[in-house]
Amino acid sequence: MIDRSKCRQLPDGTDLIGTLGAAHEYKTTPPAFIEAAKKAGLKRYATRTVRGQVAHLWEVDAVEELARQRFANSLVVDTHDIVEAPYESEGN
């Protein structure tokens, strides 16, 4: 869960999080998150930092949903594919 107290807000109350925080929630690197967000069609916002650099922001609800989908899909297992995996001996 993203700590919404540290998020920026749009005038309509939509919470936004930066790319680094979104990547942390998605448990990947920022470039990999951006690619996943692009494929998923997440809306991206932009602002300027105090140093004049562009910073991208993402809707918190969309980031959390994308992360849920990623981990829900990775946990789906067909029980017919489960086989016994005995431990190998120490020397191998």
Side-chain angles (χ1 to χ4, degrees):
M1 289 296 283
I2 296 172
D3 182 5
R4 291 176 185 254
S5 67
K6 297 179 181 178
C7 294
R8 292 189 173 191
Q9 277 192 337
L10 290 176
D12 67 0
T14 303
D15 291 321
L16 301 176
I17 188 168
T19 301
L20 191 60
H24 179 73
E25 178 71 13
Y26 194 66
K27 302 206 183 334
T28 190
T29 62
F33 170 76
I34 292 169
E35 190 62 33
K38 187 187 297 185
K39 286 180 184 177
L42 266 63
K43 192 183 294 185
R44 181 171 74 170
Y45 299 87
T47 188
R48 293 222 178 254
T49 66
V50 292
R51 293 184 177 163
Q53 297 172 324
V54 175
H56 291 112
L57 303 166
W58 310 86
E59 293 179 5
V60 170
D61 293 334
V63 170
E64 289 178 336
E65 182 59 31
L66 187 63
R68 269 193 293 276
Q69 288 173 2
R70 176 180 185 207
F71 293 107
N73 291 341
S74 68
L75 297 176
V76 174
V77 174
D78 186 357
T79 56
H80 298 291
D81 294 337
I82 298 175
V83 295
E84 183 180 356
Y87 292 98
E88 296 180 28
S89 64
E90 290 280 328
N92 293 334

